[in-house]
Amino acid sequence: MASYSPSRSQISAAVNDIRNARAPTLWQSISVQQALTTKDRPVKKGMRVSRTILPAQNETGILQLVRDTIHASGNGTQGHNDYGPISTVDIAGEWTGRRASPSTLVAETSSSESAKYETIVAETTSSLTILYLFGGNFCTGSPASYRSISAQLAELTGGKCCTPGYRLAPQCPFPAALIDVFIAYLSLLYPPPGSYHQPVAPSSIILAGESAGASLCLSVVQIILTARRLQKTDGDPSVIFHGQRVPIPTPAGLTLLSPAPDQTLSLPSFMANADSDILADRLPVLDRNFPACELWPSDPPRGNLYCNVSMLDHPLVSPVVTPSWIGCPPLWIALGGGERLLDGTRLVAQGAANDGVVVRWKEYECMPHIWPFVFPTWRQSRHCWEAWAKACKLLGSGWLVTSRATHIKKDSLEEQDIDGCALTSLSMAEARACMENHQKNARPYTGKNSQMSVL
């Protein structure tokens, strides 16, 4: 597929086209949106897919660890403990790879899932395992709907991808998704009984994700770092998993595309970049004319799909307010200069860099949210995919050990070095003030004929 570099007017037109195309779907009920994005799909030619179940019933040790980290990470107020009952469940997921011989274009075989997994492994060229966490505002998406992404990462890196189907909001609000992806990470390290895979060394595991999935990657690492502080150890913290106390090492690194680290959507760039991004001013779910459904009823009224409004500025919900990144593994972050979530991501990267974390920052001039997925024919998309794969391979080999922040010019793709410790003039105090103001003025969704749900 030929690639080209769009002009500014072409970028603007393309962004508007995507917004217009997405609008009707965003006004469908949450039940309909989930049904559209969670249905299984036939495996496309050239892909390898092995479906799996990661058992996790009644993992009380993990539940206690998550509770402890939520409480320790919060500000001590009741609002930061305002979440419902939590549980563990079995997690459906997929292993994904690319066929070693793409000329053999046959559809999915009828082999057993374990045999399909063995074929995926046989066709890899590295031990790299990417735990891919998909986006979708925590309320849509599935491993099947992101197969093309995970398969492309597997092809470009020579490794394999594991994509867990974490529980979706609003029916399973915070911290359900976080619990599921944390269990998926532990399951790579310590395969539960009946698993197809062998234990994966942490040095071979990369956490990867886009948008909300990238935010989950950051939160998983914060669980580990907070547990380390709570258990007062310089080494790895531990947890009871499938009846055994096991250490929880950090992965080799995180590779993040267009993270969504601020769930209030209230920082200055959200309005400043309104005309250059595919994200709408506000998702319509809080509009009084939005259709209620079984998953998103108007009674009781709620102010956010993912969590209670009082939790929106909790670090495990919005990693932008994380006070410390000390001990975090290397971060590779790519995002567009036209993104509405730019400020929050800059604060995360800047904070991590100032805490001594190795940070590779790539800011692509003019690019909108998740542009490599939405506009695959742009030269900037191909450049980002190649850089993403290279970062995964460097992290897996332990060779990504120095920080570098660059601004990538739109047409030439020239990388200009910038100061990764000073990416934004926005202070953390200013960011918190924006977020707190949003929480104070939030209005719940109460359905049609209500005077409360006015955006």
Side-chain angles (χ1 to χ4, degrees), residues 169-181:
Q171 66 270 38
C172 298
F174 174 86
L178 182 55
I179 291 170
D180 290 351
V181 297

Side-chain angles (χ1 to χ4, degrees), residues 203-327:
S203 58
S204 293
I205 299 176
I206 308 296
L207 300 190
E210 101 289 347
S211 196
S215 180
L216 284 172
C217 291
L218 293 168
S219 296
V220 167
V221 168
Q222 273 301 319
I223 285 181
I224 301 173
L225 300 181
T226 304
R228 182 184 294 168
R229 292 191 288 271
L230 288 173
Q231 296 178 15
K232 298 180 180 179
T233 175
D234 293 330
D236 295 329
S238 63
V239 68
I240 301 293
F241 184 53
H242 289 287
Q244 301 291 324
R245 180 163 290 279
V246 297
I248 320 171
T250 54
L254 284 68
T255 59
L256 313 175
L257 174 67
S258 297
D262 164 33
Q263 294 307 308
T264 67
L265 309 181
S266 65
L267 301 188
S269 63
F270 194 80
M271 294 312 299
N273 289 346
D275 294 334
S276 59
D277 204 0
I278 63 173
L279 297 182
D281 285 345
R282 283 290 185 270
L283 291 175
V285 293
L286 297 180
D287 191 286
R288 65 186 177 195
N289 292 312
F290 187 78
C293 64
E294 182 180 20
L295 300 182
W296 187 239
S298 58
D299 186 21
R302 287 180 285 178
N304 188 271
L305 283 168
Y306 184 48
C307 65
N308 291 323
V309 169
S310 64
M311 292 290 291
L312 285 173
D313 65 342
H314 190 287
L316 292 179
V317 173
S318 292
V320 62
V321 292
T322 297
S324 172
W325 291 100
I326 294 173

Side-chain angles (χ1 to χ4, degrees), residues 319-323 347-348 426-433:
V320 62
V321 292
T322 297
L347 279 171
V348 168
L426 182 70
S427 70
M428 184 64 73
E430 291 169 330
R432 284 188 176 276

Side-chain angles (χ1 to χ4, degrees), residues 151-171:
Q152 189 161 349
L153 272 176
E155 179 180 29
L156 292 173
T157 61
K160 56 189 179 296
C161 281
C162 178
T163 308
Y166 59 80
R167 284 172 286 179
L168 300 176
Q171 66 270 38

Side-chain angles (χ1 to χ4, degrees), residues 18-30 33 36 136-137 139-140 278-286 290-291:
I18 290 297
R19 278 185 182 168
N20 292 334
R22 293 177 71 220
T25 300
L26 294 178
W27 274 95
Q28 292 181 313
S29 71
I30 295 299
Q33 292 186 47
L36 290 172
N137 197 34
C139 66
T140 61
I278 63 173
L279 297 182
D281 285 345
R282 283 290 185 270
L283 291 175
V285 293
L286 297 180
F290 187 78

